[in-house]
Structure formats: C-alpha cells, structure tokens
Amino acid sequence: MTIEDTPEEWEIRATTTPFEGAKTSVRTDRVVMPDGSEATRDYQVHPGSVAVLALDGEGRVLVVRQYRHPVRERLWEIPAGLLDVPGENPLHAARRELYEEAHVEAGDWRVLTDVYTTPGGCDEAVRIFLARDLREAEGERFAVEHEEADMEVARVPVADLVRGVLAGDLHNNCLVVGVLALVAAESGEGLDALRPALAPWPARPFVA
C-alpha cells in the first residue's frame, strides 16, 4: 500500500465569492457528496506561500519575531511570504523573503517539505525550503513597513527550537513543520538527499 495524497475533485454545482480582499478571498461551493446530496463548503482562496528554514554552519536556525494580529501574539517564525504573482517561481520568492526579512543570502537551496496549512478551510499551499551556506547580503537593507518594521531577528540552535515546539511555546506552522522536518531529515537519509530546489510542486505549478 502506497501512502500518498492523490488528486481528486468532487462535482461543484454552484460557486459564489462573498468576500474579496487584497490578497485572499472567500469562496462558497455547493459540493456533491458521495451519496448524491449537496453540502455547502466555505473556504479561503489563497495564492500560496513560501518559507525558508535557513540553517547556518553552527547548527542554528534563523528566526524572526513579529506581531500577528489574528492570534494577538508576537510569534517566532522562519522567514516567509506570499507568492504574489500567479505562477511565480517559489525559489525566487524564497530568496526574496530571506533577503527582505533578514538581509541574508544562501548558496545551497533544497525543498524541505510541502504542506497545506489548513486544508479543511483554506487552499493555502506552502513550500518550505532549506537554505544553507548563509552569508550577509550586500547592499542596503530592504525598507520594511507595518508589522515587519518591529521585527526581531535571531539565530537559535535547532535543539532549542525542538524543545520549544514540544513544550507548546512555539506555534507558527512553518516553524514547527520546518524544524521537525529538518530533524527527521537529518536522522534519516541526510539533508543532501532532500529534493532539489526546483522540484515540481503540483499544488502551485511554476515555470523553472
């Protein structure tokens, strides 16, 4: 038996979009169930995101801390951002986010894992990259605004992040998934066995 997610799409009888925001929207579908009945499903339509687990030569992960209004907390996270342009190459977006949020560049990129953040209510897909061979970026720092203007940047040992995740002290989805995936990869076939940075991503197809 092969354990893997597979594409499938149930019939949709009607679709409306009751809300459209600057980056996301809310869609309502009337979906045909296996018994022939119909059910209404509301969900957020999202362009997709990338996140970067940047690992330095001392075994530390680059993390940022910023205020997240929906949950009313200041969260430790890994650099991340939206795929603002349809079909945007996710590696290009990841490089941009690492530069903008931490003024850092990386010489080695691989795909750590791909996730749906909340598939029961949102179609957001996130590709989490592993970035190594870190160096400070050249030139001026990116001009940040809003929540990012108050952002903190730190480098934290992987073991400390794992302890924080399992203790319930760290909650950001990409940080939790990324750190635990990193540890699993290191204890398995190793980081060099991870998928290449331009590996196909069916959830958000792109042009390499």
PDB file of all heavy atoms in Angstrom, residues 2-37:
ATOM      1  N   THR A   2       0.638   2.150  -0.938  1.00  0.00           N
ATOM      2  CA  THR A   2       1.395   3.399  -1.013  1.00  0.00           C
ATOM      3  C   THR A   2       0.660   4.492  -0.255  1.00  0.00           C
ATOM      4  O   THR A   2      -0.520   4.756  -0.512  1.00  0.00           O
ATOM      5  CB  THR A   2       1.585   3.826  -2.479  1.00  0.00           C
ATOM      6  OG1 THR A   2       2.269   2.781  -3.189  1.00  0.00           O
ATOM      7  CG2 THR A   2       2.391   5.108  -2.557  1.00  0.00           C
ATOM      8  N   ILE A   3       1.340   5.112   0.688  1.00  0.00           N
ATOM      9  CA  ILE A   3       0.736   6.192   1.473  1.00  0.00           C
ATOM     10  C   ILE A   3       1.132   7.519   0.849  1.00  0.00           C
ATOM     11  O   ILE A   3       2.249   8.007   1.032  1.00  0.00           O
ATOM     12  CB  ILE A   3       1.193   6.138   2.948  1.00  0.00           C
ATOM     13  CG1 ILE A   3       0.892   4.774   3.554  1.00  0.00           C
ATOM     14  CG2 ILE A   3       0.511   7.252   3.739  1.00  0.00           C
ATOM     15  CD1 ILE A   3      -0.585   4.420   3.584  1.00  0.00           C
ATOM     16  N   GLU A   4       0.229   8.088   0.074  1.00  0.00           N
ATOM     17  CA  GLU A   4       0.481   9.391  -0.521  1.00  0.00           C
ATOM     18  C   GLU A   4      -0.842  10.061  -0.864  1.00  0.00           C
ATOM     19  O   GLU A   4      -1.846   9.389  -1.136  1.00  0.00           O
ATOM     20  CB  GLU A   4       1.343   9.266  -1.780  1.00  0.00           C
ATOM     21  CG  GLU A   4       0.692   8.481  -2.901  1.00  0.00           C
ATOM     22  CD  GLU A   4       1.564   8.416  -4.144  1.00  0.00           C
ATOM     23  OE1 GLU A   4       1.968   9.492  -4.629  1.00  0.00           O
ATOM     24  OE2 GLU A   4       1.853   7.313  -4.619  1.00  0.00           O
ATOM     25  N   ASP A   5      -0.845  11.386  -0.824  1.00  0.00           N
ATOM     26  CA  ASP A   5      -2.033  12.145  -1.197  1.00  0.00           C
ATOM     27  C   ASP A   5      -2.221  12.068  -2.705  1.00  0.00           C
ATOM     28  O   ASP A   5      -1.250  12.033  -3.469  1.00  0.00           O
ATOM     29  CB  ASP A   5      -1.885  13.608  -0.774  1.00  0.00           C
ATOM     30  CG  ASP A   5      -1.727  13.743   0.741  1.00  0.00           C
ATOM     31  OD1 ASP A   5      -2.223  12.867   1.466  1.00  0.00           O
ATOM     32  OD2 ASP A   5      -1.098  14.730   1.178  1.00  0.00           O
ATOM     33  N   THR A   6      -3.479  12.048  -3.142  1.00  0.00           N
ATOM     34  CA  THR A   6      -3.773  11.923  -4.573  1.00  0.00           C
ATOM     35  C   THR A   6      -4.794  12.977  -4.998  1.00  0.00           C
ATOM     36  O   THR A   6      -5.690  13.341  -4.223  1.00  0.00           O
ATOM     37  CB  THR A   6      -4.340  10.528  -4.896  1.00  0.00           C
ATOM     38  OG1 THR A   6      -5.487  10.281  -4.069  1.00  0.00           O
ATOM     39  CG2 THR A   6      -3.296   9.451  -4.649  1.00  0.00           C
ATOM     40  N   PRO A   7      -4.700  13.474  -6.219  1.00  0.00           N
ATOM     41  CA  PRO A   7      -5.662  14.470  -6.714  1.00  0.00           C
ATOM     42  C   PRO A   7      -7.070  13.874  -6.823  1.00  0.00           C
ATOM     43  O   PRO A   7      -7.237  12.723  -7.209  1.00  0.00           O
ATOM     44  CB  PRO A   7      -5.117  14.841  -8.093  1.00  0.00           C
ATOM     45  CG  PRO A   7      -3.696  14.389  -8.091  1.00  0.00           C
ATOM     46  CD  PRO A   7      -3.644  13.190  -7.197  1.00  0.00           C
ATOM     47  N   GLU A   8      -8.054  14.658  -6.483  1.00  0.00           N
ATOM     48  CA  GLU A   8      -9.460  14.259  -6.633  1.00  0.00           C
ATOM     49  C   GLU A   8     -10.307  15.511  -6.538  1.00  0.00           C
ATOM     50  O   GLU A   8      -9.988  16.423  -5.777  1.00  0.00           O
ATOM     51  CB  GLU A   8      -9.858  13.261  -5.550  1.00  0.00           C
ATOM     52  CG  GLU A   8     -11.268  12.728  -5.715  1.00  0.00           C
ATOM     53  CD  GLU A   8     -11.587  11.573  -4.758  1.00  0.00           C
ATOM     54  OE1 GLU A   8     -10.637  10.981  -4.217  1.00  0.00           O
ATOM     55  OE2 GLU A   8     -12.772  11.272  -4.566  1.00  0.00           O
ATOM     56  N   GLU A   9     -11.393  15.565  -7.296  1.00  0.00           N
ATOM     57  CA  GLU A   9     -12.250  16.745  -7.245  1.00  0.00           C
ATOM     58  C   GLU A   9     -13.701  16.313  -7.390  1.00  0.00           C
ATOM     59  O   GLU A   9     -14.088  15.741  -8.407  1.00  0.00           O
ATOM     60  CB  GLU A   9     -11.878  17.744  -8.347  1.00  0.00           C
ATOM     61  CG  GLU A   9     -12.665  19.036  -8.253  1.00  0.00           C
ATOM     62  CD  GLU A   9     -12.141  20.113  -9.199  1.00  0.00           C
ATOM     63  OE1 GLU A   9     -11.117  19.849  -9.865  1.00  0.00           O
ATOM     64  OE2 GLU A   9     -12.758  21.186  -9.266  1.00  0.00           O
ATOM     65  N   TRP A  10     -14.506  16.587  -6.358  1.00  0.00           N
ATOM     66  CA  TRP A  10     -15.926  16.274  -6.403  1.00  0.00           C
ATOM     67  C   TRP A  10     -16.666  17.353  -7.189  1.00  0.00           C
ATOM     68  O   TRP A  10     -16.210  18.507  -7.290  1.00  0.00           O
ATOM     69  CB  TRP A  10     -16.488  16.149  -4.989  1.00  0.00           C
ATOM     70  CG  TRP A  10     -15.925  14.962  -4.244  1.00  0.00           C
ATOM     71  CD1 TRP A  10     -15.031  14.045  -4.707  1.00  0.00           C
ATOM     72  CD2 TRP A  10     -16.214  14.580  -2.896  1.00  0.00           C
ATOM     73  NE1 TRP A  10     -14.748  13.101  -3.744  1.00  0.00           N
ATOM     74  CE2 TRP A  10     -15.461  13.412  -2.619  1.00  0.00           C
ATOM     75  CE3 TRP A  10     -17.029  15.102  -1.898  1.00  0.00           C
ATOM     76  CZ2 TRP A  10     -15.512  12.761  -1.390  1.00  0.00           C
ATOM     77  CZ3 TRP A  10     -17.091  14.456  -0.671  1.00  0.00           C
ATOM     78  CH2 TRP A  10     -16.339  13.292  -0.419  1.00  0.00           C
ATOM     79  N   GLU A  11     -17.822  16.981  -7.714  1.00  0.00           N
ATOM     80  CA  GLU A  11     -18.605  17.897  -8.539  1.00  0.00           C
ATOM     81  C   GLU A  11     -19.056  19.111  -7.726  1.00  0.00           C
ATOM     82  O   GLU A  11     -19.494  18.990  -6.579  1.00  0.00           O
ATOM     83  CB  GLU A  11     -19.840  17.179  -9.099  1.00  0.00           C
ATOM     84  CG  GLU A  11     -20.714  18.061  -9.970  1.00  0.00           C
ATOM     85  CD  GLU A  11     -21.987  17.376 -10.422  1.00  0.00           C
ATOM     86  OE1 GLU A  11     -22.131  16.153 -10.177  1.00  0.00           O
ATOM     87  OE2 GLU A  11     -22.845  18.057 -11.028  1.00  0.00           O
ATOM     88  N   ILE A  12     -18.949  20.285  -8.355  1.00  0.00           N
ATOM     89  CA  ILE A  12     -19.409  21.529  -7.739  1.00  0.00           C
ATOM     90  C   ILE A  12     -20.600  22.036  -8.537  1.00  0.00           C
ATOM     91  O   ILE A  12     -20.506  22.270  -9.745  1.00  0.00           O
ATOM     92  CB  ILE A  12     -18.286  22.586  -7.732  1.00  0.00           C
ATOM     93  CG1 ILE A  12     -17.093  22.094  -6.917  1.00  0.00           C
ATOM     94  CG2 ILE A  12     -18.802  23.916  -7.186  1.00  0.00           C
ATOM     95  CD1 ILE A  12     -15.875  22.982  -7.010  1.00  0.00           C
ATOM     96  N   ARG A  13     -21.753  22.188  -7.873  1.00  0.00           N
ATOM     97  CA  ARG A  13     -22.987  22.615  -8.547  1.00  0.00           C
ATOM     98  C   ARG A  13     -23.070  24.133  -8.683  1.00  0.00           C
ATOM     99  O   ARG A  13     -23.692  24.636  -9.628  1.00  0.00           O
ATOM    100  CB  ARG A  13     -24.195  22.089  -7.774  1.00  0.00           C
ATOM    101  CG  ARG A  13     -24.349  20.572  -7.827  1.00  0.00           C
ATOM    102  CD  ARG A  13     -25.050  20.124  -9.111  1.00  0.00           C
ATOM    103  NE  ARG A  13     -24.997  18.674  -9.293  1.00  0.00           N
ATOM    104  CZ  ARG A  13     -25.826  17.816  -8.711  1.00  0.00           C
ATOM    105  NH1 ARG A  13     -26.772  18.253  -7.885  1.00  0.00           N
ATOM    106  NH2 ARG A  13     -25.708  16.513  -8.950  1.00  0.00           N
ATOM    107  N   ALA A  14     -22.472  24.867  -7.751  1.00  0.00           N
ATOM    108  CA  ALA A  14     -22.544  26.328  -7.801  1.00  0.00           C
ATOM    109  C   ALA A  14     -21.404  26.903  -6.970  1.00  0.00           C
ATOM    110  O   ALA A  14     -20.949  26.287  -6.001  1.00  0.00           O
ATOM    111  CB  ALA A  14     -23.881  26.835  -7.277  1.00  0.00           C
ATOM    112  N   THR A  15     -20.936  28.084  -7.358  1.00  0.00           N
ATOM    113  CA  THR A  15     -19.853  28.757  -6.659  1.00  0.00           C
ATOM    114  C   THR A  15     -20.140  30.247  -6.561  1.00  0.00           C
ATOM    115  O   THR A  15     -20.576  30.866  -7.539  1.00  0.00           O
ATOM    116  CB  THR A  15     -18.500  28.566  -7.388  1.00  0.00           C
ATOM    117  OG1 THR A  15     -18.161  27.194  -7.417  1.00  0.00           O
ATOM    118  CG2 THR A  15     -17.390  29.333  -6.680  1.00  0.00           C
ATOM    119  N   THR A  16     -19.917  30.823  -5.393  1.00  0.00           N
ATOM    120  CA  THR A  16     -20.016  32.270  -5.204  1.00  0.00           C
ATOM    121  C   THR A  16     -18.772  32.733  -4.443  1.00  0.00           C
ATOM    122  O   THR A  16     -18.093  31.939  -3.791  1.00  0.00           O
ATOM    123  CB  THR A  16     -21.271  32.669  -4.412  1.00  0.00           C
ATOM    124  OG1 THR A  16     -21.256  32.017  -3.125  1.00  0.00           O
ATOM    125  CG2 THR A  16     -22.538  32.277  -5.147  1.00  0.00           C
ATOM    126  N   THR A  17     -18.501  34.026  -4.542  1.00  0.00           N
ATOM    127  CA  THR A  17     -17.378  34.616  -3.813  1.00  0.00           C
ATOM    128  C   THR A  17     -17.912  35.770  -2.973  1.00  0.00           C
ATOM    129  O   THR A  17     -17.978  36.919  -3.435  1.00  0.00           O
ATOM    130  CB  THR A  17     -16.294  35.120  -4.789  1.00  0.00           C
ATOM    131  OG1 THR A  17     -15.898  34.042  -5.641  1.00  0.00           O
ATOM    132  CG2 THR A  17     -15.066  35.635  -4.040  1.00  0.00           C
ATOM    133  N   PRO A  18     -18.328  35.491  -1.723  1.00  0.00           N
ATOM    134  CA  PRO A  18     -18.940  36.523  -0.890  1.00  0.00           C
ATOM    135  C   PRO A  18     -17.965  37.580  -0.381  1.00  0.00           C
ATOM    136  O   PRO A  18     -18.398  38.641   0.074  1.00  0.00           O
ATOM    137  CB  PRO A  18     -19.534  35.728   0.278  1.00  0.00           C
ATOM    138  CG  PRO A  18     -18.760  34.457   0.314  1.00  0.00           C
ATOM    139  CD  PRO A  18     -18.375  34.158  -1.092  1.00  0.00           C
ATOM    140  N   PHE A  19     -16.652  37.310  -0.457  1.00  0.00           N
ATOM    141  CA  PHE A  19     -15.676  38.302   0.014  1.00  0.00           C
ATOM    142  C   PHE A  19     -14.418  38.238  -0.841  1.00  0.00           C
ATOM    143  O   PHE A  19     -13.910  37.159  -1.145  1.00  0.00           O
ATOM    144  CB  PHE A  19     -15.302  38.048   1.478  1.00  0.00           C
ATOM    145  CG  PHE A  19     -14.134  38.878   1.940  1.00  0.00           C
ATOM    146  CD1 PHE A  19     -14.309  40.205   2.299  1.00  0.00           C
ATOM    147  CD2 PHE A  19     -12.851  38.346   1.983  1.00  0.00           C
ATOM    148  CE1 PHE A  19     -13.224  40.986   2.693  1.00  0.00           C
ATOM    149  CE2 PHE A  19     -11.766  39.110   2.384  1.00  0.00           C
ATOM    150  CZ  PHE A  19     -11.957  40.441   2.744  1.00  0.00           C
ATOM    151  N   GLU A  20     -13.929  39.420  -1.241  1.00  0.00           N
ATOM    152  CA  GLU A  20     -12.664  39.509  -1.951  1.00  0.00           C
ATOM    153  C   GLU A  20     -11.785  40.550  -1.265  1.00  0.00           C
ATOM    154  O   GLU A  20     -12.179  41.705  -1.115  1.00  0.00           O
ATOM    155  CB  GLU A  20     -12.880  39.903  -3.422  1.00  0.00           C
ATOM    156  CG  GLU A  20     -13.505  38.808  -4.260  1.00  0.00           C
ATOM    157  CD  GLU A  20     -13.459  39.126  -5.746  1.00  0.00           C
ATOM    158  OE1 GLU A  20     -12.373  39.498  -6.221  1.00  0.00           O
ATOM    159  OE2 GLU A  20     -14.498  38.999  -6.400  1.00  0.00           O
ATOM    160  N   GLY A  21     -10.609  40.107  -0.811  1.00  0.00           N
ATOM    161  CA  GLY A  21      -9.674  41.015  -0.165  1.00  0.00           C
ATOM    162  C   GLY A  21      -8.523  41.340  -1.088  1.00  0.00           C
ATOM    163  O   GLY A  21      -8.516  40.987  -2.271  1.00  0.00           O
ATOM    164  N   ALA A  22      -7.506  42.024  -0.542  1.00  0.00           N
ATOM    165  CA  ALA A  22      -6.365  42.444  -1.346  1.00  0.00           C
ATOM    166  C   ALA A  22      -5.546  41.251  -1.836  1.00  0.00           C
ATOM    167  O   ALA A  22      -5.044  41.242  -2.960  1.00  0.00           O
ATOM    168  CB  ALA A  22      -5.488  43.387  -0.535  1.00  0.00           C
ATOM    169  N   LYS A  23      -5.392  40.232  -0.998  1.00  0.00           N
ATOM    170  CA  LYS A  23      -4.573  39.075  -1.348  1.00  0.00           C
ATOM    171  C   LYS A  23      -5.352  37.758  -1.373  1.00  0.00           C
ATOM    172  O   LYS A  23      -4.971  36.821  -2.063  1.00  0.00           O
ATOM    173  CB  LYS A  23      -3.418  38.940  -0.346  1.00  0.00           C
ATOM    174  CG  LYS A  23      -2.470  40.121  -0.322  1.00  0.00           C
ATOM    175  CD  LYS A  23      -1.689  40.251  -1.625  1.00  0.00           C
ATOM    176  CE  LYS A  23      -0.670  41.380  -1.540  1.00  0.00           C
ATOM    177  NZ  LYS A  23       0.098  41.551  -2.796  1.00  0.00           N
ATOM    178  N   THR A  24      -6.398  37.662  -0.579  1.00  0.00           N
ATOM    179  CA  THR A  24      -7.168  36.426  -0.494  1.00  0.00           C
ATOM    180  C   THR A  24      -8.655  36.726  -0.641  1.00  0.00           C
ATOM    181  O   THR A  24      -9.084  37.882  -0.597  1.00  0.00           O
ATOM    182  CB  THR A  24      -6.933  35.704   0.852  1.00  0.00           C
ATOM    183  OG1 THR A  24      -7.486  36.509   1.921  1.00  0.00           O
ATOM    184  CG2 THR A  24      -5.446  35.491   1.107  1.00  0.00           C
ATOM    185  N   SER A  25      -9.433  35.663  -0.817  1.00  0.00           N
ATOM    186  CA  SER A  25     -10.878  35.805  -0.906  1.00  0.00           C
ATOM    187  C   SER A  25     -11.542  34.623  -0.209  1.00  0.00           C
ATOM    188  O   SER A  25     -10.871  33.662   0.187  1.00  0.00           O
ATOM    189  CB  SER A  25     -11.327  35.876  -2.373  1.00  0.00           C
ATOM    190  OG  SER A  25     -10.976  34.700  -3.067  1.00  0.00           O
ATOM    191  N   VAL A  26     -12.846  34.684  -0.075  1.00  0.00           N
ATOM    192  CA  VAL A  26     -13.621  33.583   0.491  1.00  0.00           C
ATOM    193  C   VAL A  26     -14.571  33.067  -0.579  1.00  0.00           C
ATOM    194  O   VAL A  26     -15.260  33.847  -1.235  1.00  0.00           O
ATOM    195  CB  VAL A  26     -14.413  34.021   1.740  1.00  0.00           C
ATOM    196  CG1 VAL A  26     -15.340  32.887   2.196  1.00  0.00           C
ATOM    197  CG2 VAL A  26     -13.474  34.414   2.863  1.00  0.00           C
ATOM    198  N   ARG A  27     -14.567  31.752  -0.766  1.00  0.00           N
ATOM    199  CA  ARG A  27     -15.414  31.131  -1.784  1.00  0.00           C
ATOM    200  C   ARG A  27     -16.403  30.187  -1.113  1.00  0.00           C
ATOM    201  O   ARG A  27     -16.081  29.517  -0.125  1.00  0.00           O
ATOM    202  CB  ARG A  27     -14.552  30.361  -2.787  1.00  0.00           C
ATOM    203  CG  ARG A  27     -15.326  29.728  -3.925  1.00  0.00           C
ATOM    204  CD  ARG A  27     -14.375  29.076  -4.927  1.00  0.00           C
ATOM    205  NE  ARG A  27     -13.524  30.083  -5.551  1.00  0.00           N
ATOM    206  CZ  ARG A  27     -12.415  29.801  -6.250  1.00  0.00           C
ATOM    207  NH1 ARG A  27     -12.019  28.554  -6.392  1.00  0.00           N
ATOM    208  NH2 ARG A  27     -11.708  30.767  -6.793  1.00  0.00           N
ATOM    209  N   THR A  28     -17.596  30.122  -1.671  1.00  0.00           N
ATOM    210  CA  THR A  28     -18.621  29.200  -1.198  1.00  0.00           C
ATOM    211  C   THR A  28     -18.998  28.272  -2.349  1.00  0.00           C
ATOM    212  O   THR A  28     -19.444  28.727  -3.406  1.00  0.00           O
ATOM    213  CB  THR A  28     -19.871  29.947  -0.708  1.00  0.00           C
ATOM    214  OG1 THR A  28     -19.516  30.788   0.398  1.00  0.00           O
ATOM    215  CG2 THR A  28     -20.942  28.965  -0.244  1.00  0.00           C
ATOM    216  N   ASP A  29     -18.797  26.971  -2.155  1.00  0.00           N
ATOM    217  CA  ASP A  29     -19.118  25.965  -3.171  1.00  0.00           C
ATOM    218  C   ASP A  29     -20.252  25.074  -2.685  1.00  0.00           C
ATOM    219  O   ASP A  29     -20.304  24.708  -1.502  1.00  0.00           O
ATOM    220  CB  ASP A  29     -17.905  25.071  -3.467  1.00  0.00           C
ATOM    221  CG  ASP A  29     -16.792  25.800  -4.195  1.00  0.00           C
ATOM    222  OD1 ASP A  29     -17.057  26.867  -4.772  1.00  0.00           O
ATOM    223  OD2 ASP A  29     -15.654  25.292  -4.170  1.00  0.00           O
ATOM    224  N   ARG A  30     -21.150  24.702  -3.595  1.00  0.00           N
ATOM    225  CA  ARG A  30     -22.128  23.648  -3.329  1.00  0.00           C
ATOM    226  C   ARG A  30     -21.570  22.370  -3.934  1.00  0.00           C
ATOM    227  O   ARG A  30     -21.488  22.225  -5.150  1.00  0.00           O
ATOM    228  CB  ARG A  30     -23.484  23.996  -3.935  1.00  0.00           C
ATOM    229  CG  ARG A  30     -24.260  25.038  -3.130  1.00  0.00           C
ATOM    230  CD  ARG A  30     -25.509  25.490  -3.840  1.00  0.00           C
ATOM    231  NE  ARG A  30     -26.288  24.374  -4.370  1.00  0.00           N
ATOM    232  CZ  ARG A  30     -27.112  24.491  -5.411  1.00  0.00           C
ATOM    233  NH1 ARG A  30     -27.228  25.643  -6.039  1.00  0.00           N
ATOM    234  NH2 ARG A  30     -27.800  23.444  -5.822  1.00  0.00           N
ATOM    235  N   VAL A  31     -21.156  21.444  -3.057  1.00  0.00           N
ATOM    236  CA  VAL A  31     -20.415  20.257  -3.465  1.00  0.00           C
ATOM    237  C   VAL A  31     -21.307  19.018  -3.371  1.00  0.00           C
ATOM    238  O   VAL A  31     -22.048  18.843  -2.387  1.00  0.00           O
ATOM    239  CB  VAL A  31     -19.171  20.061  -2.574  1.00  0.00           C
ATOM    240  CG1 VAL A  31     -18.338  18.884  -3.065  1.00  0.00           C
ATOM    241  CG2 VAL A  31     -18.328  21.340  -2.556  1.00  0.00           C
ATOM    242  N   VAL A  32     -21.232  18.161  -4.381  1.00  0.00           N
ATOM    243  CA  VAL A  32     -21.999  16.919  -4.386  1.00  0.00           C
ATOM    244  C   VAL A  32     -21.257  15.872  -3.559  1.00  0.00           C
ATOM    245  O   VAL A  32     -20.100  15.547  -3.823  1.00  0.00           O
ATOM    246  CB  VAL A  32     -22.209  16.414  -5.822  1.00  0.00           C
ATOM    247  CG1 VAL A  32     -22.994  15.098  -5.806  1.00  0.00           C
ATOM    248  CG2 VAL A  32     -22.937  17.459  -6.657  1.00  0.00           C
ATOM    249  N   MET A  33     -21.935  15.336  -2.545  1.00  0.00           N
ATOM    250  CA  MET A  33     -21.359  14.328  -1.669  1.00  0.00           C
ATOM    251  C   MET A  33     -21.463  12.934  -2.314  1.00  0.00           C
ATOM    252  O   MET A  33     -22.192  12.740  -3.287  1.00  0.00           O
ATOM    253  CB  MET A  33     -22.093  14.325  -0.320  1.00  0.00           C
ATOM    254  CG  MET A  33     -22.000  15.645   0.455  1.00  0.00           C
ATOM    255  SD  MET A  33     -20.355  15.964   1.113  1.00  0.00           S
ATOM    256  CE  MET A  33     -19.818  17.294   0.010  1.00  0.00           C
ATOM    257  N   PRO A  34     -20.746  11.940  -1.784  1.00  0.00           N
ATOM    258  CA  PRO A  34     -20.786  10.590  -2.378  1.00  0.00           C
ATOM    259  C   PRO A  34     -22.181   9.980  -2.459  1.00  0.00           C
ATOM    260  O   PRO A  34     -22.450   9.159  -3.350  1.00  0.00           O
ATOM    261  CB  PRO A  34     -19.882   9.775  -1.444  1.00  0.00           C
ATOM    262  CG  PRO A  34     -18.918  10.785  -0.908  1.00  0.00           C
ATOM    263  CD  PRO A  34     -19.727  12.035  -0.727  1.00  0.00           C
ATOM    264  N   ASP A  35     -23.101  10.374  -1.553  1.00  0.00           N
ATOM    265  CA  ASP A  35     -24.448   9.814  -1.587  1.00  0.00           C
ATOM    266  C   ASP A  35     -25.394  10.594  -2.493  1.00  0.00           C
ATOM    267  O   ASP A  35     -26.593  10.312  -2.554  1.00  0.00           O
ATOM    268  CB  ASP A  35     -25.021   9.721  -0.170  1.00  0.00           C
ATOM    269  CG  ASP A  35     -25.211  11.087   0.480  1.00  0.00           C
ATOM    270  OD1 ASP A  35     -24.872  12.115  -0.155  1.00  0.00           O
ATOM    271  OD2 ASP A  35     -25.677  11.131   1.640  1.00  0.00           O
ATOM    272  N   GLY A  36     -24.862  11.612  -3.198  1.00  0.00           N
ATOM    273  CA  GLY A  36     -25.682  12.404  -4.108  1.00  0.00           C
ATOM    274  C   GLY A  36     -26.252  13.666  -3.500  1.00  0.00           C
ATOM    275  O   GLY A  36     -26.798  14.504  -4.220  1.00  0.00           O
ATOM    276  N   SER A  37     -26.158  13.824  -2.188  1.00  0.00           N
ATOM    277  CA  SER A  37     -26.650  15.030  -1.555  1.00  0.00           C
ATOM    278  C   SER A  37     -25.671  16.184  -1.806  1.00  0.00           C
ATOM    279  O   SER A  37     -24.549  15.979  -2.269  1.00  0.00           O
ATOM    280  CB  SER A  37     -26.816  14.814  -0.044  1.00  0.00           C
ATOM    281  OG  SER A  37     -25.562  14.534   0.567  1.00  0.00           O
TER     282      SER A  37
END
